[in-house]
Amino acid sequence: MTLTLSLPPELEQYLIQEAQQQGLSVETYTLELIQKSLLQKEKQLKIVNVLQSWIDESDEQEQQETGEYLINALDENRLSNRNIFK
């Protein structure tokens, strides 16, 4: 697919400079930016879906116990005697 964009001069200059620093053509650099952005969005969506499934399927008692365990573990593994969460 061929895509033609009209970019503001500042953005165009930025892309040119960054591409030169990476040793890439502006087209290659811009394509990499788009791919990274889309892959990042896809990863975020997968993470959100996993977290939502945990929320939907989890046992409330198990969540409470896990939370308490994590709080105790964080407080126990501190160099200071001062607890963060209690």
Side-chain angles (χ1 to χ4, degrees):
M1 171 173 135
T2 300
L3 182 63
T4 303
L5 299 173
S6 297
L7 301 174
E10 305 84 29
L11 182 55
E12 182 181 3
Q13 270 308 111
Y14 176 80
L15 287 172
I16 291 169
Q17 288 173 350
E18 291 297 313
Q20 287 174 347
Q21 288 179 358
Q22 300 291 323
L24 301 170
S25 70
V26 175
E27 293 82 5
T28 301
Y29 179 72
T30 304
L31 182 58
E32 284 185 6
L33 286 177
I34 293 169
Q35 288 173 331
K36 286 179 186 176
S37 176
L38 293 175
L39 290 175
Q40 184 66 26
K41 186 119 179 140
E42 186 178 326
K43 282 183 186 179
Q44 289 172 347
L45 183 59
K46 285 180 182 179
I47 291 169
V48 166
N49 289 337
V50 168
L51 292 173
Q52 188 61 51
S53 75
W54 288 351
I55 291 169
D56 294 343
E57 297 172 6
S58 288
D59 176 2
E60 193 172 314
Q61 178 63 31
E62 180 184 355
Q63 288 179 1
Q64 182 68 33
E65 290 171 2
T66 302
E68 289 172 6
Y69 172 79
L70 290 172
I71 287 170
N72 288 331
L74 289 170
D75 280 337
E76 289 174 3
N77 290 323
R78 292 183 35 83
L79 296 176
S80 167
N81 289 334
R82 188 172 142 242
N83 290 336
I84 297 175
F85 298 102
K86 293 182 184 177

